[in-house]
Every structure is written in structure tokens, then in C-alpha cells.
């Protein structure tokens, strides 16, 4: 990371940024990013409970989807399509897609507030 690029490195390869761009996401490690929920997926009743959302990160004319997965949850309050949120957690690549399991999150904006 270059000085002044808006990112600060923590321990063990972590990246913290108000809005990490696709190229700034680590292959594996802690990340703090900001994105807009494009879609949600709820596991069928017969499956193990999980709730996932695809967050779109936009920055510098680039974008990438990050899967956010809450294990053991059928619903996560406030997380719906169009919501902008800041999230934090350990990112890893699953099938080539950055994925964060059980992220901490903060809702920044809702579609009806814009």
C-alpha cells in the first residue's frame, strides 16, 4: 500500500477503508468496506439457515460484488435490496468471489431516504 492511498493496514494483512475498491480487497484478511445491496438470498426452509446478500462496491469506475453471508439466520434486520451499508469482517475468496461470513454491519442509507 502506498502512503496516502486512504487505506491503513492492520495486523495480519487487514485492510481498512471507508470504501475499499475491488483492487484493494485482500485475497484473505480483515476488511472494512462500504457497498450497496444488489440482491438477497434466503435459504429454503429445508436447508441450513443462512441469509446472504450481494453488496456492490463502486469506486474509480470499477465495481465488484462481495457476498455477505450470515450463518444461522433466515433474516437480517434492515438488510434488503438498495440499502447502503458499511461492513467489516474476514474476507476470503469462495469460487473466486470475495465472501465475508457473519459480518458486522451498519446501515448508512435506505432507498426511501434518497
Amino acid at each position: 500500500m502506498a502512503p496516502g492511498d486512504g487505506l491503513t493496514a492492520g495486523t495480519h494483512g487487514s485492510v481498512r477503508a471507508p470504501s475499499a475498491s475491488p483492487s484493494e480487497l485482500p485475497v484473505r484478511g480483515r476488511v472494512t468496506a462500504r457497498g450497496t445491496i444488489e440482491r438477497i438470498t434466503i435459504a429454503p426452509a429445508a436447508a441450513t439457515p443462512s441469509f446472504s446478500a450481494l453488496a456492490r462496491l463502486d469506486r474509480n469506475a470499477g465495481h465488484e460484488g462481495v457476498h455477505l453471508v450470515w450463518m444461522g439466520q433466515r433474516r437480517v434486520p434492515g438488510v434488503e435490496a438498495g440499502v447502503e451499508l458499511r461492513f467489516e469482517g474476514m474476507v476470503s475468496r469462495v469460487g473466486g468471489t470475495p465472501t465475508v461470513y457473519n459480518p458486522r454491519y451498519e446501515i448508512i442509507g435506505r432507498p426511501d431516504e434518497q
Side-chain angles (χ1 to χ4, degrees):
M1 282 183 252
D5 64 2
L7 298 175
T8 56
T11 58
H12 307 292
S14 65
V15 174
R16 292 178 135 341
S19 181
S21 74
S23 62
E24 295 165 338
L25 287 174
V27 173
R28 188 176 193 181
R30 181 160 290 283
V31 67
T32 298
R34 182 176 176 159
T36 303
I37 301 299
E38 284 194 333
R39 67 176 178 251
I40 61 170
T41 305
I42 302 169
T48 303
S50 71
F51 178 87
S52 67
L54 180 66
R56 184 187 72 238
L57 307 182
D58 293 318
R59 189 166 166 191
N60 300 330
H63 67 276
E64 181 174 11
V66 177
H67 275 116
L68 306 175
V69 181
W70 287 268
M71 302 303 297
Q73 302 290 321
R74 293 233 181 253
R75 191 83 181 106
V76 176
V79 177
E80 56 192 44
V83 168
E84 185 177 359
L85 53 84
R86 181 176 301 120
F87 61 90
E88 177 181 349
M90 294 298 289
V91 66
S92 60
R93 301 276 172 167
V94 177
T97 303
T99 303
V100 179
Y101 289 96
N102 297 318
R104 296 177 125 189
Y105 71 98
E106 173 187 1
I107 295 173
I108 297 171
R110 298 180 184 278
D112 56 345
E113 294 174 353
Q114 298 176 10

